[in-house]
């Protein structure tokens, strides 16, 4: 285990297994249609790259940059978005993809924004849904894993821009948080 983790929550093998399963679910749900993935950078970069390759559909990819955490571990509830200008979503089947749903502010805000582009359909997909911190009533359509209220890193998730490259998803140790 990486020395900055206090435990591994989801192993590399479990992630791969579940992402393949989610890819099959999407392939079935959108059979005969083209799907436009909208990935929220930076966190959902790794998940989206794997997920899109586990689907067997004509697909398109758009990316939006979102930041809500600064360098801490508590959401400030005010995500900032860039890159939405000129997205071609009108009349398309759109799947908004994020790494984790925590308070719900980010996904609900971005979903509202994407709806203004008049997609044919709009659904949301997250790898992780964290329980116990929801502030906005928002239920994603596709969820990889349900996790407890702990700050996690790895597989795209960061703390102060670090640990994204860990292959598993783990809980950051108190010592690593203190050390910054
Ligand atoms: P909200 O609170 O808006 O948060 O649902 C969603 C965004 O917050 C980030 N987030 C985390 N990032 N470990 C992280 O590295 C976590 O435990 C965590 N919880 C929330 C994430 O970027 C997500 O897009």
């Amino acid at each position: 285990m990486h020395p900055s983790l206090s435990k591994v929550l989801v192993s590399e093998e479990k992630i791969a297994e579940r992402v393949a399963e989610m890819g099959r679910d999407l392939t079935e749900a959108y059979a005969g249609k083209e799907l436009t993935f909208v990935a929220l950078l930076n966190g959902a970069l790794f998940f989206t790259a794997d997920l899109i390759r586990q689907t067997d559909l004509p697909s398109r990819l758009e990316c939006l940059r979102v930041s809500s955490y600064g360098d801490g571990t508590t959401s400030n509830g005010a995500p900032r978005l860039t890159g939405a200008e000129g997205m071609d979503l009108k009349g398309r089947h759109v799947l908004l993809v994020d790494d984790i749903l925590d308070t719900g502010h980010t996904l609900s805000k971005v979903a509202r924004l994407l709806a203004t582009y008049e997609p044919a359909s709009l659904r949301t997909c997250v790898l992780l849904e964290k329980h116990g911190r929801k502030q906005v009533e928002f239920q994603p359509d596709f969820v990889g894993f349900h996790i407890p209220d702990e700050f996690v890193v790895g597989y795209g998730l960061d703390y102060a821009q670090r640990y994204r490259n860990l292959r598993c998803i783990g809980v950051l140790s108190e010592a690593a948080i203190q050390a910054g």
Side-chain angles (χ1 to χ4, degrees), residues 2 7 11 41 73 107 120 124 128 142 177:
H2 190 280
K7 69 177 162 197
S11 68
L41 303 180
T73 61
L107 269 196
T124 53
L128 306 173
F142 301 91
I177 291 175

Side-chain angles (χ1 to χ4, degrees), residues 69 75 98-100 102-106 130 151-152 157-158:
Y69 264 71
S75 172
D98 203 3
D99 49 3
I100 186 166
D102 184 5
T103 62
H105 284 290
T106 305
K130 203 188 264 191
F151 193 79
V152 293
L157 291 144
D158 73 304

Side-chain angles (χ1 to χ4, degrees), residues 11-29 37 46-57 125 127 142-145 155:
S11 68
E12 181 181 0
E13 294 73 25
K14 282 259 172 323
I15 295 171
E17 224 172 77
R18 184 70 184 119
V19 172
E21 214 168 68
M22 294 175 86
R24 288 194 291 274
D25 290 347
L26 290 174
T27 302
E28 211 179 287
F37 291 77
F46 299 59
F47 174 43
T48 310
D50 286 343
L51 184 64
I52 201 166
R53 287 177 293 176
Q54 293 294 340
T55 58
D56 188 10
L57 294 166
C125 175
L127 179 65
F142 301 91
V143 177
F145 299 96
Y155 195 62

Side-chain angles (χ1 to χ4, degrees), residues 42-166:
N42 295 329
L45 180 65
F46 299 59
F47 174 43
T48 310
D50 286 343
L51 184 64
I52 201 166
R53 287 177 293 176
Q54 293 294 340
T55 58
D56 188 10
L57 294 166
S59 51
R60 303 171 67 254
L61 174 64
E62 302 263 10
C63 295
L64 276 178
R65 181 173 287 269
V66 63
S67 54
S68 58
Y69 264 71
D71 282 349
T73 61
T74 311
S75 172
N76 59 21
R80 288 185 306 278
L81 275 176
T82 47
E85 326 74 40
M87 271 193 316
D88 176 16
L89 302 181
K90 191 169 175 144
R92 300 187 182 279
H93 295 285
V94 172
L95 184 71
L96 173 58
V97 184
D98 203 3
D99 49 3
I100 186 166
L101 182 109
D102 184 5
T103 62
H105 284 290
T106 305
L107 269 196
S108 62
K109 176 174 174 174
V110 180
R112 272 200 310 275
L113 171 82
L114 296 191
T116 67
Y117 286 74
E118 302 175 34
S121 70
L122 172 62
R123 293 205 259 187
T124 53
C125 175
V126 293
L127 179 65
L128 306 173
E129 181 171 357
K130 203 188 264 191
H131 285 271
R133 290 192 10 106
K134 234 183 222 181
Q135 294 174 2
V136 178
E137 213 25 72
F138 188 91
Q139 190 49 51
D141 300 287
F142 301 91
V143 177
F145 299 96
H146 296 268
I147 63 162
D149 179 10
E150 294 187 277
F151 193 79
V152 293
V153 293
Y155 195 62
L157 291 144
D158 73 304
Y159 174 59
Q161 295 300 334
R162 293 165 61 208
Y163 309 109
R164 290 194 199 276
N165 59 327
L166 301 191

